[in-house]
Amino acid sequence: GDPADSFTRPTGLAMVKVTPLDALAKPHVVQNVSGYNSWPMIQAIGEKLVCVYSRGSGHSIGEDARAVYARTSADNGETWTTETVVADTPKYGEVAIGKGLDSTGAMFLWVRRIGKEWNHDLYRTTDGVTFELVATPKLAVTPIQITVILEVPTVGLMALWFAGDYRDGGPSHSWGKLTTSDNGATWTQTTIQSELTKPQWPTEPSAVYLGDGRILAVARTEMGGTSSTRSQFQMVSTDFGATWTRAQTNIGDVAASTPSLILDTETGLLSNYYYERGRGILRRRVVDPDSVFGNPLNWPVSEAVATGSPIGIDAGNVNATTIRGTHYLAFYSGKAPDTAVLVSVLPAPTAGH
């Protein structure tokens, strides 16, 4: 096979039927102390889970009171270690916004730091307890967020970002990629699309590398209205991220819903997790990625896998990771000013008969 392939892809999955869950996954509590515990990132380092989250007084990203914390679990998310501080800079509000692995298998974490400046700090950890600041890149276009980090052959590590101001007006929105060939010390920024209107704007993307130079990303939309106008975006590349195509999907049971993708290398199945805000339903769609890569309207129906509070912005933002055939889904739920960070544990999807 091509050395650029990350794994050997199973064949014959295009019309896959996925075995449904027997029951909804009951969440484990990561943190529920008083305060707005929110916007978690979860990452496996070997057999250990690391869950990073932010806490402030409310749904506000820039308040000085907001800092980033971490806990780890060695028993599949059932119990969690004592909270440690990742970032708590005086006069800045900090939020974890993106994660992935570095070239050695350690965890990378993007933290947005807002005060007199708007910064993005990259941290690295090998144990989920001690986090080392690696870089604070100075970027020509200041992102709102830098999200997923993935390894792409011939490129190194790649992260996706988006920028804009959430206004309904003129074409002021963009998205793009950051790449590094020195394991995060320096980053090169590329804008993929700019001067987008708000309805054209993909935000908070998640992405996976499929092999053969192909990358598939799914992004949130900032639009409301009908299921067609608020459907998720899909962005694909066939040349290791050099060029991209963006289209809307048929995934419309979303509301300000951040996606998180898991690609299972053993089965070849791709899971798209997202939390339908307002209804309090954590959903997934499972697919053979070949069947949607060039057909963004071909995603199968969703399945409810967990539930949280049926409330607007005080619940959501699922973020997923996997360890040996098990998926771990971090999200937050509650009602301001008090919300909790939760983790649901699911078996990885399998093909039915």
Side-chain angles (χ1 to χ4, degrees):
D2 189 321
D5 276 345
S6 56
F7 59 90
T8 301
R9 292 190 54 73
T11 57
L13 289 176
M15 299 303 292
V16 66
K17 178 178 174 61
V18 175
T19 304
L21 291 177
D22 294 330
L24 297 182
K26 183 179 179 181
H28 302 300
V29 175
V30 179
Q31 179 59 286
N32 63 350
V33 296
S34 179
Y36 204 88
N37 300 278
S38 48
W39 310 317
M41 295 281 150
I42 191 166
Q43 179 65 56
I45 305 178
E47 299 290 307
K48 177 188 285 189
L49 292 171
V50 181
C51 188
V52 180
Y53 50 91
S54 181
R55 182 167 61 252
S57 66
H59 196 99
S60 173
I61 60 175
E63 59 173 338
D64 187 19
R66 182 165 286 281
V68 177
Y69 307 91
R71 287 182 151 185
T72 69
S73 175
D75 58 5
N76 295 309
E78 291 190 23
T79 62
W80 293 84
T81 56
T82 303
E83 180 178 272
T84 57
V85 178
V86 176
D88 186 7
T89 307
K91 298 184 179 180
Y92 284 84
E94 285 156 306
V95 177
I97 52 173
K99 60 93 195 269
L101 297 176
D102 77 354
S103 62
T104 72
M107 179 181 177
F108 265 162
L109 180 75
W110 286 108
V111 172
R112 178 179 55 200
R113 177 166 52 89
I114 301 176
K116 61 182 179 180
E117 300 169 324
W118 189 294
N119 299 287
H120 293 86
D121 298 327
L122 180 68
Y123 288 87
R124 180 181 184 269
T125 183
T126 57
D127 59 9
V129 179
T130 302
F131 288 76
E132 172 194 9
L133 180 62
V134 175
T136 305
K138 298 303 180 184
L139 304 172
V141 180
T142 301
I144 291 177
Q145 290 183 31
I146 305 166
T147 60
V148 64
I149 300 170
L150 65 159
E151 188 170 1
V152 178
T154 77
V155 174
L157 298 176
M158 179 183 295
L160 297 182
W161 59 267
F162 65 98
D165 57 15
Y166 295 98
R167 290 185 304 175
D168 291 327
S172 57
H173 307 86
S174 60
W175 70 281
K177 65 181 180 178
L178 297 175
T179 56
T180 178
S181 57
D182 55 15
N183 204 29
T186 60
W187 293 83
T188 300
Q189 184 181 38
T190 304
T191 299
I192 296 168
Q193 288 186 303
S194 61
E195 299 185 356
L196 297 175
T197 63
K198 187 175 174 182
Q200 300 170 322
W201 187 35
T203 67
E204 306 195 14
S206 181
V208 291
Y209 179 69
L210 299 174
D212 291 326
R214 300 184 307 154
I215 304 169
L216 187 150
V218 173
R220 159 175 155 171
T221 175
E222 299 303 326
M223 301 304 294
T226 65
S227 60
S228 61
T229 60
R230 65 171 184 259
S231 61
Q232 288 180 342
F233 288 102
Q234 177 173 297
M235 298 95 79
V236 297
S237 173
T238 60
D239 51 15
F240 303 96
T243 60
W244 294 76
T245 301
R246 173 182 55 83
Q248 281 191 292
T249 68
N250 59 328
I251 301 172
D253 51 356
V254 293
S257 189
T258 302
S260 192
L261 300 180
I262 294 289
L263 179 66
D264 287 301
T265 55
E266 288 191 9
T267 63
L269 295 175
L270 177 66
S271 297
N272 179 355
Y273 290 102
Y274 54 96
Y275 188 102
E276 187 180 2
R277 281 174 153 161
R279 296 190 65 192
I281 302 172
L282 204 169
R283 299 183 178 276
R284 77 172 178 190
R285 299 195 186 210
V286 182
V287 71
D288 165 23
D290 287 343
S291 68
V292 296
F293 190 85
N295 300 282
L297 300 179
N298 205 30
W299 283 85
V301 296
S302 67
E303 175 187 14
V305 296
T307 58
S309 56
I311 202 162
I313 61 172
D314 297 339
N317 286 74
V318 65
N319 188 256
T321 193
T322 182
I323 300 175
R324 289 188 300 109
T326 302
H327 290 183
Y328 301 89
L329 317 173
F331 61 102
Y332 77 106
S333 180
K335 184 176 181 181
D338 293 316
T339 58
V341 172
L342 309 171
V343 169
S344 286
V345 182
L346 308 178
T350 57
H353 300 287

